[in-house]
Amino acid sequence: MWFFKTPEIVFGEDALFYLEELRGQRAFVITDAHLRRLGLVRRVEEHLRRAGMEVHVFDMVEPNPTVDLVRIGSDVIRAFNPDWIVAVGGGSVIDAAKAIWVLFERPDLDPLAISPMEPLGLRRRARLVAIPTTSGTGSEATWAIVLTDPRARRKLGVGSRENMPDIAIVDPAMAMDLPPRLTADTGMDALSHALEGYVSTWRNPFSDAMCLHAARLIFAYLPRAYRDGARDPEARAHMHLAATMAGIGFGNAMVGLAHSLGHALGARFDIPHGRAVGLFLPYVIEFNARVAADRYAHLLQAIGRPSPNGPEAAFQLSRAVLELLETLEQPQTVAACGIPRDDFEADLPTLVEYALEDPSTLTNPRSPTAEEVEHLLLYAYEGKMVDF
């Protein structure tokens, strides 16, 4: 038995107008100050007011939302008491909104206690709309929540199927002016979702379809969106679609070791999530070569590359990812992120510990030992091919 869960998805040009179809009294908009200054939030406010709602904007979300930020947001939202919560932003904003929503309806709950094992009883007070402004995290279509503990310099994954957004409004216009570096970072996040979701031990035929097509779209359109996205609406639209499809795919299959390593490195050294995960992706593909060769061959076929038999398929897919990283001018090694070797090696035991404890490791097709995780990290620091 398997569950395949998605929000209601409104996609395409002018999808934002769907906000005017909502029925309610008050809408609590969660976003960040930068997006508010850019005017993207104002568009959302206008549509909500046309729907007859009073609107309050909470714009305190910063990258890598913390547990403390979620608690502050829950205090503010309780005072406003909305019937709709509208998240406008990238993965950090949408993840924060999910957690704030849970605490709004369950003030007795610690944010880090949100889990599939804890019945939440959501939707008694409000429902959640997610409007992505980046084409990458897929958070608008998943139940995953990533929060940061700044004191431990650690990212923690929580979430429950109950806290998946009710509606995802995927309007490419919201990502048209995304800068090239953010386009690359978030695009590599989407690709990592697609590739890792397709080989995950929890994969299923529904998630396979989403992951395969998302991978095909990302290899075709991410270089174009990076090169000149502001003047290439076709590339922007396909990337926005691909990110949500990859989110649906991995949200129902989970991801793997590239995410575990990316979470660990990103939190310890303040590396953007998509950049960190994308950096580890080719090395993890090579690590999985012996157990997931057939799946990697399917992915090669999907992106229009020759597909050899056996582990060579994994190495060819790894090369394709490295080529894409080069096209996007993304770091291909940990050293290229500007992390001194002494600092990296000093943190190596902690990075290994955090990666092994990350839930994403559980669904990687090959279960790693602590020694293997350490070797992977060292290979990724230097850019060596994985040889075990």
Side-chain angles (χ1 to χ4, degrees):
M1 182 171 66
W2 200 264
F3 297 95
F4 187 79
K5 197 168 176 63
T6 75
E8 177 183 357
I9 296 173
V10 186
F11 172 77
E13 186 179 356
D14 294 332
L16 213 58
F17 280 81
Y18 188 73
L19 290 170
E20 298 180 21
E21 304 295 319
L22 303 183
R23 294 293 172 262
Q25 301 299 314
R26 287 175 298 280
F28 188 78
V29 176
I30 298 175
T31 188
D32 63 54
H34 177 66
L35 289 173
R36 197 173 189 182
R37 286 193 298 271
L38 289 177
L40 293 176
V41 178
R42 185 172 61 251
R43 300 183 204 174
V44 172
E45 291 181 76
E46 290 169 354
H47 289 300
L48 290 169
R49 290 195 172 97
R50 288 192 195 113
M53 283 192 257
E54 181 184 353
V55 180
H56 181 91
V57 178
F58 177 78
D59 65 359
M60 293 179 61
V61 180
E62 295 181 346
N64 304 315
T66 65
V67 174
D68 291 341
L69 178 278
V70 169
R71 291 195 176 105
I72 292 169
S74 69
D75 290 339
V76 178
I77 197 173
R78 275 193 288 274
F80 186 64
N81 194 30
D83 33 29
W84 285 100
I85 301 168
V86 182
V88 184
S92 292
V93 166
I94 298 173
D95 282 7
K98 292 174 187 174
I100 290 169
W101 177 31
V102 173
L103 266 62
F104 173 51
E105 302 223 14
R106 287 289 308 276
D108 60 303
L109 201 63
D110 186 286
L112 298 182
I114 304 170
S115 81
M117 309 305 295
E118 173 71 32
L120 299 178
L122 300 185
R123 297 172 178 83
R124 294 174 185 171
R125 304 183 69 178
R127 289 189 286 168
L128 176 63
V129 179
I131 306 173
T133 59
T134 64
S135 302
T137 69
S139 185
E140 69 277 2
T142 77
W143 52 268
I145 302 171
V146 179
L147 300 177
T148 297
D149 179 347
R151 285 169 285 277
R153 292 164 59 203
R154 183 175 192 177
K155 290 187 177 182
L156 301 161
V158 298
S160 161
R161 284 200 300 267
E162 289 186 55
N163 62 237
M164 178 177 287
D166 295 277
I167 302 170
I169 296 181
V170 187
D171 190 329
M174 298 296 281
M176 276 302 298
D177 295 322
L178 197 65
R181 186 53 48 218
L182 273 175
T183 298
D185 286 343
T186 57
M188 286 306 302
D189 192 18
L191 181 63
S192 300
H193 294 155
L195 300 193
E196 291 210 292
Y198 190 72
V199 301
S200 163
T201 57
W202 286 8
R203 64 184 184 267
N204 59 77
F206 296 99
S207 64
D208 282 354
M210 292 289 173
C211 290
L212 275 176
H213 193 59
R216 182 182 297 116
L217 291 175
I218 293 165
F219 269 97
Y221 290 101
L222 179 54
R224 284 173 50 180
Y226 172 71
R227 190 164 51 244
D228 196 10
R231 292 190 290 184
D232 193 339
E234 181 185 32
R236 284 291 188 210
H238 280 99
M239 277 303 302
H240 223 41
L241 174 62
T244 299
M245 292 183 72
I248 295 170
F250 96 86
N252 286 279
M254 301 304 290
V255 280
L257 192 53
H259 271 76
S260 305
L261 295 168
H263 289 157
L265 186 79
R268 298 297 291 181
F269 292 102
D270 195 25
I271 307 297
H273 172 73
R275 191 177 306 170
V277 173
L279 159 65
F280 285 115
L281 185 59
Y283 304 99
V284 171
I285 290 171
E286 292 176 7
F287 174 73
N288 292 332
R290 290 185 297 181
V291 298
D294 291 348
R295 306 293 290 182
Y296 290 136
H298 298 164
L299 287 162
L300 279 172
Q301 292 166 8
I303 66 174
R305 299 291 184 99
S307 179
N309 295 323
E312 183 60 25
F315 297 117
Q316 290 300 321
L317 184 61
S318 173
R319 295 299 170 270
V321 174
L322 287 168
E323 289 170 13
L324 181 59
L325 288 170
E326 184 173 1
T327 298
L328 302 174
E329 301 172 284
Q330 291 284 86
Q332 299 175 40
T333 67
V334 175
C337 294
I339 300 172
R341 178 141 196 149
D342 288 348
D343 293 350
F344 178 74
E345 290 186 349
D347 259 12
L348 198 54
T350 302
L351 293 171
V352 172
E353 176 189 350
Y354 286 2
L356 284 172
E357 292 177 352
D358 193 291
S360 300
T361 300
L362 295 174
T363 48
N364 194 71
R366 179 180 171 186
S367 298
T369 65
E371 184 179 21
E372 287 169 338
V373 172
E374 182 177 320
H375 286 165
L376 264 175
L377 285 160
L378 289 169
Y379 289 142
Y381 188 88
E382 299 173 350
K384 291 182 177 179
M385 178 180 283
V386 176
D387 60 358
F388 56 89

